[in-house]
Amino acid sequence: MYKIMYLKTGNVFILPENEANDLKTMFPEDYKILEKNGKKFKDVIKKTKKDEKGSIYSQVVEQEQT
């Protein structure tokens, strides 16, 4: 059983492994895994940069090539 937190509201859910992993893969910015099978887990959340249309952000800031 996994304990996950929905970051937008702060609600915590205890779900089976497959459902928790499905939510995490579909919505990686919205969920954080707190515990895996009763053991604390440090989940890293990657923030995405939004490049809005009409913005000069991409012209001003160098972006790291992966």
Side-chain angles (χ1 to χ4, degrees), residues 4-8 11 13 15 20 23-33 43-45:
I4 64 169
M5 180 190 313
Y6 184 59
L7 297 174
K8 292 184 178 183
N11 293 339
F13 303 98
L15 298 172
L23 285 173
K24 183 68 178 169
T25 56
M26 289 189 298
F27 308 104
E29 299 91 20
D30 293 343
Y31 290 94
K32 180 178 180 180
I33 297 175
D43 192 12
V44 178
I45 300 173

Side-chain angles (χ1 to χ4, degrees), residues 1-64:
M1 298 299 272
Y2 281 32
K3 185 184 283 189
I4 64 169
M5 180 190 313
Y6 184 59
L7 297 174
K8 292 184 178 183
T9 60
N11 293 339
V12 177
F13 303 98
I14 298 174
L15 298 172
E17 180 180 352
N18 58 353
E19 290 183 28
N21 286 330
D22 289 344
L23 285 173
K24 183 68 178 169
T25 56
M26 289 189 298
F27 308 104
E29 299 91 20
D30 293 343
Y31 290 94
K32 180 178 180 180
I33 297 175
L34 302 175
E35 291 183 8
K36 286 185 175 183
N37 298 323
K39 296 182 180 179
K40 291 187 179 185
F41 180 76
K42 186 174 182 180
D43 192 12
V44 178
I45 300 173
K46 296 180 181 178
K47 297 196 178 208
T48 56
K49 294 181 183 176
K50 294 183 181 178
D51 190 18
E52 296 180 17
K53 189 175 183 177
S55 173
I56 62 168
Y57 180 80
S58 61
Q59 298 172 359
V60 176
V61 178
E62 283 186 23
Q63 296 184 2
E64 184 178 328

